Each structure stands twice: as C-alpha cells, then as structure tokens.
C-alpha cells in the first residue's frame, strides 16, 4: 500500500502551528466540561428476519429483552442497487436463495 507524504509546504505550515503539548493540554481541559450520557445500545437485525414480519417482530422483542434501546434494519431497493446483470444472475449459493435470481432473492428479503 502507498503511504501519503505531504508536500514540503504543508510540512512547514504544520511546524508553525500550535505545539502538540499545548494542544494536548487544551484537549484535556475540554474533558472536564464533558457531560456523560448513558450510551444507547443498537441491535443490528439487518435482514435476519428472512423477509418475514413476524420474525422481525420477534427479533425486536429479543433485542429489547437483551437490553437494546433500538433495533436497526437494512432497507434496500435491489433494482436501484444492482446492475441488470447482477440482478438477473443466479444466487451464488442457490440452496440459501429465496428467489430464482440474486435480485429476486434480495427483493424477497425486503419488508
């Protein structure tokens, strides 16, 4: 992989900015003003509902029982997301497919 090396003009401008030690003290001072808030737990459900609303509801209930505040799903529009060739191609694992093509499989999984 290539490494980024800034131009010399940029390096000299960086050298003229505030010293790192002073900047660190400023950043640490900001922590004293930090207001702690309890984090929110997000359950990533994605498309694990297999296109079935009842499974989606059950996954939300299980997520809530496990302490999640929010359940997150994924919503896609396969005809906009995939090229025509990708949409009409067979699913790479036909045994796990919910449609004759990959596009039909993705459409099936949308609620």
């Amino acid at each position: 992989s290539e490494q980024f090396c800034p131009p010399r003009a940029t390096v000299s401008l960086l050298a003229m900015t505030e010293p790192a030690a002073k900047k660190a003290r400023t950043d640490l001072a900001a922590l004293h003003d930090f207001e702690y808030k309890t984090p929110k737990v997000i359950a990533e459900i994605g498309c694990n509902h297999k296109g079935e609303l009842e499974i989606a509801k059950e996954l939300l209930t299980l997520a809530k029982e496990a302490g999640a505040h929010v359940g997150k799903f994924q919503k896609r529009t396969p005809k906009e997301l995939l090229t025509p060739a990708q949409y009409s191609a067979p699913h790479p694992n036909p045994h796990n497919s919910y449609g004759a093509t990959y596009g039909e499989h993705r459409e099936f999984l949308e609620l």
Side-chain angles (χ1 to χ4, degrees):
S1 69
E2 295 181 26
Q3 291 184 339
F4 174 74
C5 182
R8 288 179 190 230
T10 304
V11 173
S12 64
L13 287 174
L14 291 173
M16 294 188 304
T17 62
E18 186 176 11
K22 184 176 180 186
K23 183 171 176 35
R25 280 194 301 274
T26 304
D27 292 344
L28 290 175
L31 291 176
H32 295 289
D33 297 330
F34 180 77
E35 179 185 341
Y36 177 80
K37 295 181 182 177
T38 305
K40 301 293 182 195
V41 176
I42 302 171
E44 174 64 51
I45 296 171
C47 60
N48 290 314
H49 50 73
K50 300 187 272 186
E52 297 183 30
L53 188 57
E54 290 307 311
I55 293 175
K57 289 178 183 179
E58 182 181 359
L59 291 170
L60 282 173
T61 300
L62 292 169
K64 182 178 180 180
E65 290 172 0
H69 298 95
V70 177
K72 179 180 170 284
F73 294 90
Q74 295 177 9
K75 180 66 179 152
R76 297 183 181 129
T77 308
K79 287 198 177 190
E80 293 177 10
L81 178 69
L82 304 169
T83 66
Q86 292 170 324
Y87 191 93
S88 60
H91 188 281
N93 188 348
H95 179 72
N96 293 333
S97 181
Y98 293 105
T101 67
Y102 184 70
E104 288 176 12
H105 165 79
R106 294 302 319 168
E107 296 280 356
F108 180 87
L109 292 174
E110 298 301 321
L111 287 177

